Amino acid sequence: LAKTTQPISMDSYEGQEVNITCSHNNIATNDYITWYQQFPSQGPRFIIQGYKTKVTNEVASLFIPADRKSSTLSLPRVSLSDTAVYYCLVAFDYKLSFGAGTTVTVRA
Amino acid sequence: GAVVSQHPSRVICKSGTSVKIECRSLDFQATTMFWYRQFPKKSLMLMATSNEGSKATYEQGVEKDKFLINHASLTLSTLTVTSAHPEDSSFYICSALGQGQEKLFFGSGTQLSVL
């Protein structure tokens, strides 16, 4: 299983863009990169998934460089409700190994 | 998106009793389900992988006789914590993967408290 490294925590303010970078140096050729969001006492919620280049959906963007050894989740114009733990995962067979995640705190 | 329902959301039980947690895929057939546990302010730890109709595969250090997993149908997997003790108190989460799907969907979790 590819190991991921993310910052432990990040602070931001409402309306700002938050970028969380995840390192996954030993990602395998078939691995996808997936980001999840988790609120306290809830199961993780899917945010976005990508394989290479850039992926965008209604809530976030995911930037993946050509070597795929890292990825950056971009949350545009965060609000207080975006305060949560964000997990970066890489897997091929969906046997996901969760790292520590990044606790994002959005302040007013 | 696909919905995974987990029940109960919270359970309190006495030490020595068994507790069953259900995980259902509501709008798709889940060929594979995963069970995790999570301690406060910690990350999710994979406990086991279950495939419909076959025995679950447990991660190292997880007692299969303690945590019984049954995946008898394509929409239901259950985790039974047998003879629960206070150290089994934790947040348990399931996830499901359907055929042809490219991402996992998670249940809302079950907070187990053993007195």
Side-chain angles (χ1 to χ4, degrees):
Chain A
L1 297 173
K3 182 179 178 180
T4 60
T5 303
Q6 305 173 231
I8 295 297
S9 63
M10 296 182 73
D11 288 346
S12 184
Y13 291 91
E14 283 189 294
Q16 290 188 334
E17 178 182 83
V18 172
N19 296 305
I20 309 171
T21 297
C22 178
S23 297
H24 28 79
N25 292 317
N26 57 340
I27 188 170
T29 303
N30 294 329
D31 284 343
Y32 277 81
I33 300 160
T34 312
W35 286 80
Y36 287 85
Q37 174 193 56
Q38 187 182 28
F39 297 112
S41 299
Q42 293 187 27
R45 184 176 74 101
F46 173 86
I47 301 175
I48 198 166
Q49 183 182 68
Y51 183 80
K52 61 181 178 181
T53 63
K54 177 184 175 182
V55 180
T56 298
N57 61 22
E58 62 274 11
V59 298
S61 294
L62 178 60
F63 300 91
I64 305 169
D67 65 6
R68 302 199 330 121
K69 293 184 182 300
S70 67
S71 59
T72 299
L73 173 71
S74 180
L75 305 172
R77 298 180 298 281
V78 294
S79 62
L80 295 176
S81 61
D82 292 317
T83 293
V85 179
Y86 292 82
Y87 294 99
C88 158
L89 300 106
V90 294
F92 168 66
D93 60 359
Y94 306 104
K95 190 174 178 180
L96 301 179
S97 175
F98 282 80
T102 298
T103 299
V104 173
T105 303
V106 180
R107 306 180 193 282
Chain B
V3 178
V4 175
S5 174
Q6 190 172 338
H7 179 81
S9 59
R10 181 178 295 272
V11 59
I12 301 172
C13 69
K14 292 182 179 180
S15 186
T17 60
S18 294
V19 174
K20 180 183 285 188
I21 302 170
E22 293 187 347
C23 181
R24 294 180 184 272
S25 56
L26 297 185
D27 53 359
F28 67 100
Q29 294 185 325
T31 51
T32 305
M33 286 188 173
F34 301 90
W35 287 94
Y36 306 81
R37 67 185 300 182
Q38 184 175 34
F39 292 106
K41 299 191 183 299
K42 298 293 184 182
S43 187
L44 285 79
M45 295 191 308
L46 179 65
M47 299 175 66
T49 303
S50 75
N51 294 295
E52 186 267 337
S54 61
K55 290 184 178 180
T57 302
Y58 290 81
E59 294 301 300
Q60 190 173 10
V62 178
E63 300 175 59
K64 60 181 180 181
D65 295 330
K66 173 75 170 177
F67 300 99
L68 300 179
I69 292 172
N70 184 283
H71 192 164
S73 79
L74 285 172
T75 60
L76 174 65
S77 177
T78 60
L79 167 67
T80 302
V81 183
T82 62
S83 186
H85 291 283
E87 58 265 29
D88 298 324
S89 297
S90 186
F91 191 57
Y92 292 88
I93 308 170
C94 70
S95 66
L97 179 69
Q99 240 178 354
Q101 293 183 325
E102 297 178 338
K103 53 183 178 280
L104 285 181
F105 296 95
F106 287 81
S108 54
T110 298
Q111 182 64 54
L112 170 63
S113 299
V114 184
L115 305 178

